[in-house]
Amino acid sequence: MGDAHASATGELPALRRAIVDPSAIRENVAHVASLVAPAAVMAVVKADGYGHGALTAARAALEGGAERLGVADVDEALALRAAGIQAPVLAWLHGHDPSFGEAVEHGISVGVSTRLQLERAVEAGTTTRPALVHLKIDTGLGRNGLQKAEWEPVFEAAGDAIASGRIRLEGLFSHLSNADDEEDRAQLDAFLEAEQLLRSLGADPGIRHLASTAGALRLPETRLDLVRLGIGAYGLSPFDDATSAELGLRPAMRLESRLFSVKRVAAGTGVSYGYTYRTDRDTWLGLVPLGYADGIPRHVSNTGSVRVGDQVHRIVGRVAMDQFVVDLGEHEAQVGDRVVLFGDAERGEPTANDWARAASTINYEIVTRLGRRVKRVTA
Ligand SMILES: *Cc1c(COP(=O)(O)O)cnc(C)c1O
């Protein structure tokens, strides 16, 4: 098999490659956008686009019809601006002593979760260039956002700030726990209560948003004016009981490498640190040059699987920092054979969900934790 992707980008084959397909992101966003319309889509590209590359993800999502972008912190938003992204961007996570001067300068909207953040937004805004604010309320998740007792006083303060012309209220938002549908509906009720309160104080809430991927797909009443689409944009399912394909999504990342060693060993051979695996027959072992430093969870030792050529083989022995071993059985694979760690089930590849299951975690963690040595390549 030729090294099509590497040659397509004119690069030498890398030891470890995450191949990101922007067309999958574009199509996933377009699919969800049509599903949730008339609600709009904000594509969430925090944490380097969930490990896919923030810029690649942002551009593809905007092409797919996302109207806005969302990130955790202002630095992530500034990086998008520095790369020429002009679409509206919202950043909602700020440190203990926030300052929003740069956000205002670059037209970045800020999520305001505390009175201090509101004051800082007012300080940063001017009447010619008001701070763009989305008020964030805690409707039950228990993370950031104004607690219920703070709604009225902070909404009143926000009203004064709006009247001063130093902030513009762009939106009101909250985040669901996805504990179950009933809990999420209770959060929606709390949200609507806050909206009414804000309106009764004379302020227009602007864009109301509550749902992330899970709510957007499963609980239509939570779509409101906009959904914040994270994991779904990357083609991964937020649900244990639904695959990407069942949701009409296509995984945008394939993690691959090549065998760098293949050897025949006798029955009873101990494999990797601590000999947590011993071969029970003569067999072929293949070595793959990714380890926990590359984001391969040590928890997949003896449980995960990868595809070598056209066969799926189990990871055996402990995952080390830089490499792991697969038991190839009687598959006489060759040094240099392609190994797909995860990709698209529709192509017969293991998935990020398979990895998540093997490591007792979620697919979000599998894609976002890939290490720096893994080279991102655009398909
Ligand atoms: C990360 C995040 C999202 C995206 O969630 P997904 O489950 O990936 O769709 C949405 N909103 C907020 C506030 C987030 O932090």
Side-chain angles (χ1 to χ4, degrees):
M1 188 171 306
D3 206 333
H5 295 289
S7 58
T9 57
E11 294 177 42
L12 292 171
L15 276 180
R16 320 165 184 92
R17 306 189 306 161
I19 298 159
V20 175
D21 183 356
S23 71
I25 297 175
R26 191 179 66 225
E27 287 161 22
N28 294 328
V29 170
H31 172 67
V32 176
S34 69
L35 199 70
V36 303
V41 171
M42 170 188 287
V44 180
V45 299
K46 62 188 178 187
D48 200 24
Y50 287 44
H52 295 64
L55 204 53
T56 303
R59 290 194 180 121
L62 292 167
E63 281 173 28
E67 290 185 8
R68 293 171 178 269
L69 300 171
V71 290
D73 58 58
V74 171
D75 284 350
E76 292 178 308
L78 289 169
L80 293 172
R81 284 284 183 267
I85 301 280
Q86 289 172 5
V89 183
L90 172 66
W92 51 68
L93 194 77
H94 318 296
H96 70 287
D97 186 19
S99 81
F100 297 130
E102 281 187 296
V104 169
E105 189 184 326
H106 291 91
I108 292 159
S109 307
V110 292
V112 161
S113 285
T114 64
R115 184 185 277 274
L116 174 67
Q117 289 172 6
L118 178 65
E119 285 164 8
R120 294 293 166 84
V122 171
E123 280 166 32
T126 63
T127 49
T128 45
R129 207 176 247 222
L132 306 174
V133 167
H134 291 229
L135 288 172
K136 179 155 196 203
I137 53 173
D138 183 2
T139 53
L141 182 60
R143 299 198 322 205
N144 63 349
L146 297 162
Q147 285 183 274
K148 192 163 182 183
E150 301 173 300
W151 292 355
E152 184 153 359
V154 179
F155 288 178
E156 276 172 358
D160 294 343
I162 296 163
S164 77
R166 297 171 72 106
I167 74 165
R168 195 164 87 218
L169 186 60
E170 255 189 354
L172 176 71
F173 76 119
S174 186
H175 197 36
L176 296 173
S177 69
N178 306 135
D180 61 43
D181 287 359
E182 205 178 317
E183 297 283 8
D184 285 352
R185 284 198 192 95
Q187 284 192 251
L188 173 61
D189 290 343
F191 186 93
L192 297 174
E193 192 186 319
E195 179 194 345
Q196 280 321 112
L197 179 63
L198 188 59
R199 287 186 191 280
S200 74
L201 296 170
D204 180 343
I207 305 161
R208 302 162 309 145
H209 48 116
L210 177 61
S212 56
T213 302
L217 296 180
R218 284 250 163 112
L219 219 53
E221 61 266 47
T222 64
R223 292 172 185 161
L224 302 175
D225 301 320
L226 172 132
V227 303
R228 299 185 304 270
L229 184 68
I231 200 77
Y234 306 98
L236 300 179
S237 168
F239 308 116
D240 289 336
D241 61 352
T243 63
S244 298
E246 285 162 359
L247 299 173
L249 304 172
R250 181 156 63 91
M253 182 193 286
R254 190 164 69 252
L255 180 62
E256 63 173 51
S257 182
R258 287 170 188 278
L259 293 179
F260 75 96
S261 161
V262 177
K263 57 186 169 190
R264 186 73 179 170
V265 299
T269 301
V271 175
S272 193
Y273 296 125
Y275 292 162
T276 60
Y277 181 77
R278 270 182 200 278
T279 56
D280 57 4
R281 62 208 180 316
D282 293 3
T283 189
W284 291 99
L285 296 179
L287 242 60
V288 182
L290 286 97
Y292 55 78
D294 305 301
I296 303 305
R298 193 163 172 277
H299 281 88
V300 303
S301 301
N302 293 308
T303 57
S305 300
V306 301
R307 187 170 154 134
V308 180
D310 57 3
Q311 294 185 30
V312 173
H313 296 292
R314 191 154 70 93
I315 295 170
V316 294
R318 285 208 182 120
V319 171
M321 189 183 297
D322 313 304
Q323 55 189 280
F324 63 81
V325 181
V326 290
D327 190 337
L328 298 164
E330 290 310 307
H331 179 186
E332 280 187 58
Q334 305 294 313
V335 168
D337 278 2
R338 198 161 76 115
V339 180
V340 176
L341 287 82
F342 61 79
D344 189 349
E346 300 299 295
R347 297 164 54 125
E349 297 161 348
T351 64
N353 283 55
D354 295 332
W355 280 76
R357 213 168 298 119
S360 308
T361 182
I362 51 175
N363 51 15
Y364 294 70
E365 194 176 348
I366 298 299
V367 291
T368 55
R369 290 188 67 176
L370 293 184
R372 290 190 195 204
R373 296 191 302 198
V374 178
K375 185 156 190 169
R376 271 61 166 187
V377 181
T378 304

